[in-house]
Amino acid sequence: DAGVTQSPTHLIKTRGQQVTLRCSPKSGHDTVSWYQQALGQGPQFIFQYYEEEERQRGNFPDRFSGHQFPNYSSELNVNALLLGDSALYLCASSSRGLNEQFFGPGTRLTVL
Amino acid sequence: AQKITQTQPGMFVQEKEAVTLDCTYDTSDPSYGLFWYKQPSSGEMIFLIYQGSYDQQNATEGRYSLNFQKARKSANLVISASQLGDSAMYFCAMGSSGGSYIPTFGRGTSLIVHP
């Protein structure tokens, strides 16, 4: 049973560029959440998708957007990248109504 | 609003000894859940243990136990018989009914297990 998978594992971009990160949830899970983890910090919630719609959103600007596909996989898009967007981006999946989230290995984004 | 505080930036423990990682929380919601995650250097967050606010008994999962003191709003993680592989960052998190159980994480505690 595959767990949560994310791609790519590492990414280097320059300021102003756009990036797309991808996540496949654990089998049987229908809800995907995205987190940003800056160096030395705990993960910060970006948003959560369920039934292909954004259901909850944290305190992140509109430059951060997402999408969920019918197979429950998800994308995180970040436009107009800033140096401060450099972080580990974690995807977590869960089943609606259950509290436990399973995390993927993350995508480490570096913005130069 | 919900808040998680982990006051220990780093902890050291001898192999085979027990260690307690501190976590305090703040919420006005009566229904909430407390989580502990382990994050090795590889980056993946590994779920360890969960405690619901209405659970009467402290949660246990193998060598992990959660010392839940509701009146003090604390949810400390106890790791018994520490192993070298336990060296990692440990994060306490809380999700409450008012926040749709989206977890808020603390800043983490770095645990180093010495042989």
Side-chain angles (χ1 to χ4, degrees):
Chain A
D1 176 27
V4 181
T5 60
Q6 292 186 243
S7 63
T9 54
H10 294 84
L11 205 51
I12 299 175
K13 292 285 188 179
T14 57
R15 281 179 296 174
Q17 284 190 310
Q18 178 264 343
V19 68
T20 297
L21 311 181
R22 295 175 176 83
C23 171
S24 291
K26 182 178 169 65
S27 177
H29 286 181
D30 55 11
T31 302
V32 174
S33 302
W34 286 93
Y35 295 82
Q36 179 194 67
Q37 186 179 17
L39 200 61
Q41 304 288 325
Q44 298 287 317
F45 173 71
I46 303 175
F47 42 54
Q48 182 181 80
Y49 277 82
Y50 171 68
E51 288 187 338
E52 301 180 49
E53 289 191 15
E54 183 182 294
R55 301 293 179 170
Q56 297 283 335
R57 189 177 182 94
N59 188 25
F60 279 80
D62 292 344
R63 298 187 298 108
F64 289 78
S65 63
H67 189 77
Q68 186 179 36
F69 300 94
N71 67 353
Y72 308 120
S73 67
S74 176
E75 287 182 350
L76 163 65
N77 300 293
V78 187
N79 294 322
L81 284 167
L82 304 174
L83 296 180
D85 295 332
S86 294
L88 179 68
Y89 288 84
L90 294 163
C91 170
S93 73
S94 58
S95 288
R96 198 66 174 172
L98 297 179
N99 297 328
E100 184 180 340
Q101 293 189 336
F102 290 82
F103 283 79
T107 294
R108 193 166 296 279
L109 173 65
T110 302
V111 182
L112 302 177
Chain B
Q2 51 193 38
K3 184 179 178 181
I4 290 284
T5 302
Q6 294 181 256
T7 57
Q8 305 157 313
M11 290 286 286
F12 297 87
V13 66
Q14 199 79 24
E15 193 178 8
K16 300 181 184 177
E17 296 292 314
V19 62
T20 298
L21 306 183
D22 295 342
C23 173
T24 58
Y25 61 91
D26 191 23
T27 181
S28 55
D29 290 318
S31 178
Y32 54 89
L34 295 151
F35 307 80
W36 277 93
Y37 286 88
K38 172 184 178 181
Q39 188 177 41
S41 56
S42 59
E44 183 172 352
M45 299 284 282
I46 302 168
F47 168 78
L48 296 178
I49 197 166
Y50 169 81
Q51 177 88 40
S53 57
Y54 294 118
D55 293 342
Q56 296 297 314
Q57 292 187 325
N58 287 344
T60 60
E61 288 287 347
R63 295 186 299 111
Y64 305 108
S65 61
L66 200 153
N67 184 3
F68 182 45
Q69 298 188 44
K70 199 169 183 177
R72 289 184 157 186
K73 293 190 175 181
S74 74
N76 299 338
L77 176 70
V78 180
I79 305 175
S80 62
S82 297
Q83 301 172 356
L84 296 179
D86 293 335
S87 294
M89 285 293 293
Y90 288 80
F91 290 93
C92 179
M94 177 181 69
S96 66
S97 57
S100 299
Y101 291 98
I102 303 295
T104 297
F105 286 81
R107 295 190 63 163
T109 295
S110 173
L111 175 66
I112 296 176
V113 180
H114 289 300

